Amino acid sequence: MEPLRVILQKYPTLSVLVFAVAFRLVHRLLRDLPIPKHVEQDKVKSWRWRNLTVSLVHSLLTGPWAVLCVFSSPEMTSQIYSSYTTVDYLLVCISSGYFVQDAADIILSGQSRASWEFLVHHAMVLLCFMYAIYSHHYVGGTVVALLVEVNSVFLHTRLLLKLASAQDSGLYHVNKYINLVTYVTFRLSTQFYLTWYIVQHFNALDHAAFFLFTMVFMNGMILVYFQRLVHTDFLRPKRRAAHCGKDSAASNNSAKFVYD
């Protein structure tokens, strides 16, 4: 694995761009898969469907990968600044490539205005990830942060089901409970742990103020969206099926942002 690390660290920008192109190829391949007819007939919905499927592929890849990294090197949770392996570094490069591709997809598809929050999120994530890639610091912390992708698997599934107007399906019902549990255990807990760690080691970490600001900003967003998620899936009265597809399409602009 050492030769791989040398290559990745010698050509960090090129490595990220290669993985961005790889995710673009995934996007192209997924276009050939069938999608619900009513989604295909709507330009925005069909774009969102394909965008979400690529996001789901990214989450299915990086979520379990991050879990394996943390289990194999548990010391990184207490040494987020300095502890990492070649596999950890590769994971960060791959995930950075995804965020570059996804931001480009939003911009080139003319969805920037509708998804501006999503672009802000990607910009902040990429600043942190690229700092880790170039400085070789906070790589472990970045891997820990990618534990949120475990929850993203169920968040993306939820949004795809809503686009397909399948809110009354058994799959949606089961997924919403798994989504709630993983949101707390993998998203909220991970974010708050990293925030606590930075506060506790503030004077010993480089650029701690920037990373703390980023974490606090993200924490505010995930709490707002958690409230919306609980309200939509557990507190709001059941809507008529005729309104479900329309409502979900209107709400997805802001919803996807925090779920990547």
Side-chain angles (χ1 to χ4, degrees):
M1 296 295 286
E2 189 61 30
L4 176 61
R5 180 191 292 206
V6 172
I7 294 173
L8 292 173
Q9 294 184 343
K10 187 176 182 180
Y11 306 104
T13 301
L14 180 60
S15 300
V16 171
L17 290 177
V18 167
F19 292 124
V21 171
F23 275 106
R24 193 60 189 175
L25 290 175
V26 171
H27 183 282
R28 180 63 186 85
L29 291 172
L30 290 174
R31 289 180 63 182
D32 296 329
L33 296 178
I35 64 176
K37 189 173 182 179
H38 74 276
V39 173
E40 188 174 15
Q41 293 173 345
D42 185 295
K43 184 178 179 181
V44 175
K45 286 184 179 180
S46 61
W47 169 80
R48 194 172 305 283
W49 181 279
R50 294 186 175 95
N51 183 271
L52 280 167
T53 54
V54 177
S55 298
L56 181 59
V57 170
H58 169 254
S59 297
L60 286 169
L61 173 66
T62 59
W65 189 337
V67 172
L68 289 174
C69 287
V70 171
F71 269 98
S72 61
S73 303
E75 66 274 7
M76 79 169 59
T77 60
S78 60
Q79 301 173 23
I80 69 169
Y81 180 78
S82 58
S83 177
Y84 74 96
T85 66
T86 301
V87 174
D88 301 333
Y89 192 86
L90 175 61
L91 171 59
V92 177
C93 289
I94 290 175
S95 196
S96 297
Y98 159 75
F99 285 113
V100 169
Q101 183 279 145
D102 206 46
D105 184 40
I106 293 172
I107 295 171
L108 295 176
S109 299
Q111 298 297 320
S112 300
R113 180 175 296 181
S115 303
W116 67 269
E117 293 178 336
F118 196 20
L119 289 176
V120 171
H121 168 267
H122 277 17
M124 297 187 73
V125 168
L126 280 170
L127 282 173
C128 296
F129 280 28
M130 295 307 292
Y131 178 92
I133 289 172
Y134 275 96
S135 70
H136 309 155
H137 297 146
Y138 293 103
V139 176
T142 304
V143 172
V144 173
L146 283 170
L147 289 173
V148 304
E149 294 300 331
V150 174
N151 170 244
S152 292
V153 171
F154 304 100
L155 283 168
H156 297 325
T157 299
R158 171 183 179 271
L159 290 174
L160 286 169
L161 289 170
K162 291 188 73 175
L163 275 175
S165 299
Q167 294 95 319
D168 294 328
S169 68
L171 179 58
Y172 188 93
H173 183 75
V174 172
N175 184 80
K176 75 176 184 180
Y177 286 101
I178 300 176
N179 182 31
L180 181 67
V181 172
T182 57
Y183 201 108
V184 174
T185 56
F186 285 97
R187 189 172 296 274
L188 289 176
S189 297
T190 296
Q191 290 283 131
F192 293 158
Y193 170 75
L194 289 172
T195 303
W196 171 85
Y197 185 97
I198 293 172
V199 170
Q200 291 295 310
H201 301 85
F202 189 85
N203 294 326
L205 298 173
D206 291 340
H207 302 100
F210 166 72
F211 286 100
L212 182 59
F213 169 79
T214 301
M215 295 306 302
V216 170
F217 183 80
M218 295 288 190
N219 292 345
M221 291 188 300
I222 65 174
L223 285 173
V224 169
Y225 282 94
F226 182 63
Q227 184 273 330
R228 292 182 184 180
L229 177 70
V230 172
H231 181 263
T232 300
D233 278 356
F234 297 96
L235 300 180
R236 181 180 297 173
K238 202 169 189 180
R239 294 168 295 183
R240 289 179 298 173
H243 293 160
C244 287
K246 181 178 177 180
D247 291 345
S248 64
S251 66
N252 277 337
N253 284 337
S254 61
K256 184 180 180 299
F257 158 56
V258 75
Y259 298 158
D260 263 318

